[in-house]
């Protein structure tokens, strides 16, 4: 198989301790990404300082893409991050997640033309999150560890079982943009994320719905591509129902007008 250049997109907003964990975990991979793009939705100088420090010793290129803080604009910053990337394949996570050392290796292994990959996450509790953010040292979370709030089975990496389940396990399950991967050409074919979404919710479902309508289908990473989600309070979005209704609108245009390329 020919070499595939991989770009990892990390979206972040004003949580530098979590971002540091995320970036450090990406630099500890068995298969390093070819580049890391930090999509920053308007963070302050502390986030910029963390990125600059890690850039100083990173063996791979780290690009900081920043936009002004005008409220939650995840769709827009993800578009900007992907446009700043140069990879053939995009792996997408959020900055409140750090990853298993074989995370990139797993996404590359299961990548297949005509499909996108959706992975899961382990939900950590407040106490463990505070400890990790204080030490700023990522680590593998084992199934028996304390500090897991939910989704404990997602700590297990069982490659042979993941091979069996990738095309079978819950093919129509809910989409999570915090652990996804797709070919850059598929992103371009639908013009990326629809930037009409304001506040969190709906933008991932809409993006991957349009991918499916364009003939790009779901493969599910179960027991591979492991991620660990740091605890935080759930933000309230008064426009969530509006976003959900828009994401499920009938007959959406596959190549969205208000997307990555205007």
């Amino acid at each position: 198989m020919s070499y595939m250049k991989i770009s990892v997109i990390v979206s972040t907003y004003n949580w530098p301790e979590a971002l540091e964990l995320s970036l450090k975990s990406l630099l500890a991979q068995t298969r390093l990404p070819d580049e890391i793009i930090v999509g920053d939705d308007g963070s302050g100088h502390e986030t910029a300082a963390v990125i600059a420090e890690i850039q100083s010793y990173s063996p791979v290129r780290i690009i900081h893409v920043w936009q002004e803080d005008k409220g939650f604009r995840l769709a827009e910053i993800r578009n900007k991050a992907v446009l700043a990337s140069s990879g053939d394949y995009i792996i997408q996570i959020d900055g409140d997640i750090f990853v298993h050392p074989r995370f990139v290796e797993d996404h590359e292994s299961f990548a297949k033309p005509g499909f996108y990959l959706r992975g899961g996450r382990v939900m950590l509790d407040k106490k463990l999150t505070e400890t990790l953010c204080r030490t700023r040292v990522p680590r593998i979370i084992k199934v028996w560890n304390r500090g897991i709030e939910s989704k404990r089975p997602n700590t297990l990496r069982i490659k042979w079982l993941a091979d069996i389940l990738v095309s079978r396990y819950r093919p129509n399950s809910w989409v999570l943009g915090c652990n996804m991967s797709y070919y850059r050409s598929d992103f371009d074919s639908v013009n990326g994320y629809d930037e009409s979404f304001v506040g969190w919710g709906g933008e991932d479902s809409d993006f991957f719905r349009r991918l499916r309508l364009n003939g790009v289908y779901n493969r599910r990473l179960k027991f591979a591509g492991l991620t660990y989600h740091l605890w935080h309070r759930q933000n309230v979005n008064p426009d969530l129902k509006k976003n959900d209704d828009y994401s499920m609108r009938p007959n959406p245009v596959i190549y969205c007008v208000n997307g990555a390329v205007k």
Side-chain angles (χ1 to χ4, degrees):
M1 186 177 75
S2 61
Y3 185 81
M4 183 167 65
K5 186 174 183 179
I6 295 177
S7 303
V8 176
I9 307 297
V10 185
S11 56
T12 191
Y13 175 71
N14 273 336
W15 196 1
E17 299 87 354
L19 179 63
E20 185 169 343
L21 287 168
S22 183
L23 293 177
K24 284 179 176 177
S25 71
L26 289 171
L27 297 184
Q29 294 293 296
T30 55
R31 196 293 196 197
L32 283 172
D34 295 282
E35 62 183 6
I36 299 168
I37 319 294
V38 179
D40 185 349
D41 192 17
S43 301
H45 69 277
E46 291 182 356
T47 293
V50 164
I51 296 169
E53 179 186 357
I54 296 176
Q55 282 173 326
S56 70
Y57 63 79
S58 172
V60 303
R61 182 172 68 155
I62 300 176
I63 301 171
H64 183 194
V65 178
W66 182 90
Q67 67 184 12
E68 186 179 355
D69 186 358
K70 294 183 178 180
F72 188 100
R73 294 185 292 153
L74 180 59
E76 184 172 349
I77 196 59
R78 280 184 176 158
N79 280 344
K80 289 178 178 177
V82 173
L83 290 178
S85 71
S86 59
D88 309 299
Y89 196 72
I90 306 296
I91 301 175
Q92 176 180 295
I93 64 172
D94 289 342
D96 57 5
I97 279 175
F98 64 98
V99 301
H100 186 278
R102 293 185 179 272
F103 173 78
V104 173
E105 174 189 328
D106 285 345
H107 273 272
E108 181 179 40
S109 174
F110 286 103
K112 184 177 180 180
F115 293 87
Y116 64 87
L117 287 171
R118 179 250 162 144
R121 55 185 174 170
V122 180
M123 307 299 289
L124 306 183
D125 69 13
K126 183 178 181 182
K127 184 177 181 180
L128 179 54
T129 294
E130 289 173 345
T131 298
L132 289 163
C133 287
R134 183 174 65 253
T135 63
R136 304 199 185 194
V137 178
R139 61 184 176 88
I140 298 175
I141 306 298
K142 301 293 188 180
V143 69
W144 56 80
N145 286 158
R146 294 181 179 179
I148 297 172
E149 188 170 79
S150 63
K151 304 186 185 297
R152 190 174 292 270
N154 287 347
T155 59
L156 299 171
R157 183 180 183 272
I158 310 172
K159 182 63 163 53
W160 65 267
L161 187 53
D163 287 331
I164 294 172
L165 294 176
V166 67
S167 297
R168 297 176 174 86
Y169 183 76
R170 300 178 64 186
N172 298 314
S173 59
W174 188 252
V175 174
L176 288 173
C178 62
N179 183 358
M180 305 290 308
S181 64
Y182 44 86
Y183 285 89
R184 170 63 186 272
S185 57
D186 291 330
F187 174 93
D188 292 338
S189 72
V190 299
N191 202 19
Y193 279 84
D194 189 330
E195 296 177 12
S196 304
F197 289 92
V198 177
W200 69 269
E203 65 283 325
D204 294 321
S205 298
D206 175 75
F207 175 48
F208 293 104
R209 182 186 180 199
R210 287 184 289 108
L211 281 179
R212 288 194 297 270
L213 290 171
N214 204 38
V216 182
Y217 299 101
N218 179 29
R219 278 160 64 85
R220 178 70 184 272
L221 286 181
K222 185 68 177 177
F223 304 121
L226 309 185
T227 69
Y228 313 107
H229 186 275
L230 298 165
W231 181 92
H232 59 79
R233 287 186 174 85
Q234 185 71 54
N235 295 322
V236 176
N237 177 19
D239 294 315
L240 181 58
K241 185 178 186 307
K242 178 181 176 182
N243 283 3
D244 286 341
D245 289 344
Y246 180 69
S247 72
M248 297 308 296
R249 65 198 180 282
N251 304 314
V253 176
I254 293 174
Y255 188 91
C256 66
V257 175
N258 192 23
V261 178
K262 301 295 188 292

